[in-house]
Amino acid sequence: MSDLHRLSIRELSEGLAGAKFSSRELTEHYLKRIEKIDAKVQSYITVTAEQALAQADAADAAIKAGQATVLTGLPIAHKDIFCTQGIKTTAGSKMLDNFISPYDATVVAKGKAAGLVTLGKVNMDEFAMGSTSENPYFGSTKNPWNLEHVPGGSSGGSAAVVAADLAPFATGTDTGGSIRQPASFCGLTGLKPTYGRVSRFGMIAYASSMDQGGPMARSAEDCAYLMNVMAGHDAKDSTSVEKEVDDYVANLNGTSVKGLRIGIPKQYFNVAGLDADVKARVEESLKKLEEMGAILVEIDLNMTDSYVPTYYLIAPAEASSNLQRFDGVRYGYRCENPVDLMDLYKRSRSEGFGKEVQQRILIGTYALSAGYYDAYYVKAQKVRRLIQQDFLKAFESVDVIAAPAAPTTAYKIGANLSPVEMYLGDIYTIAVNLAGLPAINAPVGFDKNNLPVGLQLIGNYWSESQLLSVVHQYQQATDWHTKRAAIAEENA
Ligand code: GLN
C-alpha cells in the first residue's frame, strides 16, 4: 500500500488489528519515506531503522497473539530531548552530540510498553531554547509547507515530521509554546498539558517549573490517542501529579460546543505585531465555533504586557541552573587538552553551547546573582503569580480562552530576528506555561502565502479532555486539519 501515511491514528490502529497491513509494512513504509524525503526537510537527527524493524516484528507478534494495545505497531518520532536508552539523545546540542542515555524517559518507556515503534529522534532548538529550529549544530529543519520557512520551535522537528508524513505522530515539549507554535506553523494539532500531567523524568530540563511534554499530530483525535499513553503520575518525577487520568479518546465527544463560553481577551487582539491574516483566520474560526453554538465573551487579561519580560527572566534563570551540569566533567562535550579545571569548564561550555544558549545562561546567572536576585528573579515570580490570578479570574466567567498561537505565520529561514523581536513572537504562548495551564493549537486556515495559521484554546487546570473534545468537534465540522503540504503528497 502506498498511501499508509494518509491514515489517521485510529485508521492505522484498526488496519493493524484487522491485519490489513503489518507493523513491519507500515514501519518500512515510513522508513522509505524518511529516506527519500527527509533530505529536504532535515527533521531527523537519528533514524533508528534497525531497532524500529525489530520493534515492528515484536508488535506484529503481539498483535497475532492477541496481546496488543490500540497503539501496538504504530510508528512514532521522539523529540531529541527525551532520553532513549542506547540511542543518542542530543537535546539539539553539540554538548550532547555523543550522549547515550543509560535509561529511557518515562514517556519513551510508556510508548514502548504500549507497543509503539520508534522511528528516530528529531531536531529542535538547542536545549529547547528558540522558536525556529534553526539549529546551529544540526542545521535548520524546514517547514514542509514551504521549505524556505522555519517549522517553528523548539519542537520544530516533531512538527515537520508529522506535516511531511515522515511519522504519524510525535512527542514534543512545551516550556514556552514549543508544542503549540510549531503546530501552528506546520498546520497541526498540538496539546500542551497541565503542568504535572506528563512525567518529565528523562526529559532534558530547560526551565523545570514550566517544562511539559505533550502530543503533536494532525488532529485532536490523533493527539488523544498519544495523550492516553503519555499522561499519568510517575514516582520518578516529583512534579508529576497523582491525579486520575482521563480516557482522552473516549472523551472526544464529551464536551458540548453548544453553550461553551469562549473568552476573547481584548488585549490579545490588539497586540502590535499581530498579522492581519492570522487575525482574520482566528476570527473566522471563532465565528465557526459560534455557529456551532459557542458563546463568545469578551474578557480582560490585563497582565498581557508582562508576559514576555516575566518569562524571559524566569526561563533563563532556571536554564542557567539546569545547564550547570554540562561542565565537561560528567556529561557530554569536553574540550581538548584543558590546562586546568577552570579552563576545562570555560572552554567545554563555550565550545559546546551555541550562542542563544550561552546568552540565556548569562542572563539567567545575572538575574539570580546575589545583588540582583530580589530586583529581577523574585519580582518576576511575583508578577508570575499575578498572571496566574488573571487567568483564574477569567475562568470564573468562561470555559476556555481563545488566542492566536503566534502573532505571525512561519518566519523565513535566516530572517535573523533580534532576540527581542523573536521573544515577542512568544506573547500568546508563554503565559500559559507561567500559569501551568493546558492549551491546544488547532489549524484554522492559511495566510496569503499558503502558510498555516493556528487557533489556540487555553483551558483551566486538568481540562485536557475538554480542549481535545472542543477541537475534535471543530475538526468534525471543518477540514483544515486534513490539508496536506505538497511534500506530504509525494510518494516514496
Ligand atoms: N520560544 C520559547 C523559548 O525560546 C520556546 C520554549 C519552549 O517551549 N521550549 O524559550
Side-chain angles (χ1 to χ4, degrees), residues 128-131 154 173-178 206 311-312 360 426:
M129 299 176 198
S131 310
S154 65
T173 65
D174 191 314
T175 304
S178 283
Y206 161 17
Y311 173 86
Y312 276 99
R360 295 200 192 189
D426 293 336

Side-chain angles (χ1 to χ4, degrees), residues 57-386:
D57 289 341
D60 284 329
I63 294 168
K64 274 213 185 86
Q67 289 161 351
T69 78
V70 324
L71 293 185
T72 298
L74 268 86
I76 190 167
H78 288 301
K79 184 175 182 178
D80 210 13
I81 199 167
F82 288 100
C83 287
T84 41
Q85 188 176 8
I87 296 165
K88 86 173 173 172
T89 298
T90 68
S93 183
K94 177 179 177 187
M95 185 57 93
L96 289 177
D97 188 26
N98 59 7
F99 175 62
I100 297 194
S101 168
Y103 57 82
D104 280 328
T106 294
V107 161
V108 172
K110 283 180 143 189
K112 277 189 186 167
L116 290 173
V117 170
T118 304
L119 292 170
K121 310 287 297 287
V122 294
N123 200 14
M124 52 185 283
D125 286 293
E126 186 178 5
F127 282 103
M129 299 176 198
S131 310
T132 66
S133 301
E134 294 171 290
N135 188 295
Y137 188 65
F138 292 103
S140 302
T141 295
K142 316 288 188 287
N143 189 317
W145 288 93
N146 182 330
L147 299 176
E148 286 174 12
H149 288 252
V150 304
S154 65
S155 312
S158 310
V161 286
V162 178
D165 282 332
L166 303 177
F169 51 13
T171 52
T173 65
D174 191 314
T175 304
S178 283
I179 286 175
R180 292 160 286 155
Q181 182 257 28
S184 167
F185 281 12
C186 291
L188 302 176
T189 308
L191 173 72
K192 183 259 165 204
T194 306
Y195 183 75
R197 181 70 297 178
V198 170
S199 169
R200 293 170 36 239
F201 178 76
M203 195 176 108
I204 293 172
Y206 161 17
S208 307
S209 75
M210 296 184 277
D211 295 342
Q212 187 62 197
M216 301 175 71
R218 290 209 172 266
S219 66
E221 184 185 77
D222 289 1
C223 282
Y225 277 100
L226 185 50
M227 194 53 193
N228 271 359
V229 174
M230 295 179 81
H233 174 249
D234 178 10
K236 294 185 191 138
D237 171 8
S238 62
T239 64
S240 84
V241 174
E242 256 186 291
K243 184 174 167 44
E244 212 186 315
V245 180
D246 292 343
D247 181 336
Y248 301 103
V249 175
N251 286 346
L252 280 168
N253 291 308
T255 301
S256 174
V257 173
K258 223 175 155 57
L260 183 84
R261 294 174 65 83
I262 303 181
I264 316 284
K266 260 188 261 164
Q267 292 78 357
Y268 283 22
F269 290 82
N270 289 326
V271 163
L274 177 56
D275 176 86
D277 284 356
V278 171
K279 187 168 186 223
R281 290 305 91 77
V282 167
E283 284 173 352
E284 286 157 20
S285 69
L286 292 170
K287 188 111 203 40
K288 177 75 197 170
L289 284 162
E290 195 176 31
E291 278 165 35
M292 292 168 64
I295 302 157
L296 306 185
V297 187
E298 200 172 73
I299 59 166
D300 273 305
L301 285 176
N302 289 310
M303 298 299 294
T304 305
D305 288 343
S306 308
Y307 295 172
V308 174
T310 306
Y311 173 86
Y312 276 99
L313 257 160
I314 293 174
E318 294 184 15
S320 72
S321 165
N322 274 325
L323 270 55
Q324 279 179 33
R325 73 192 71 174
F326 304 107
D327 57 7
V329 176
R330 200 157 157 211
Y331 298 103
Y333 180 81
R334 175 193 287 246
C335 70
E336 302 271 348
N337 309 316
V339 296
D340 57 23
L341 188 63
M342 199 43 90
D343 185 45
L344 169 75
Y345 288 161
K346 272 196 190 158
R347 282 201 292 121
S348 296
R349 287 169 70 79
S350 25
E351 291 164 19
F353 289 134
K355 186 167 157 258
E356 180 67 28
V357 171
Q358 293 193 23
Q359 208 161 275
R360 295 200 192 189
I361 291 173
L362 291 174
I363 293 171
T365 306
Y366 182 81
L368 290 175
S369 61
Y372 297 99
Y373 184 82
D374 288 333
Y376 290 113
Y377 184 71
V378 172
K379 183 116 176 248
Q381 290 289 18
K382 289 182 178 160
V383 179
R384 177 182 194 170
R385 175 56 62 91
L386 296 176

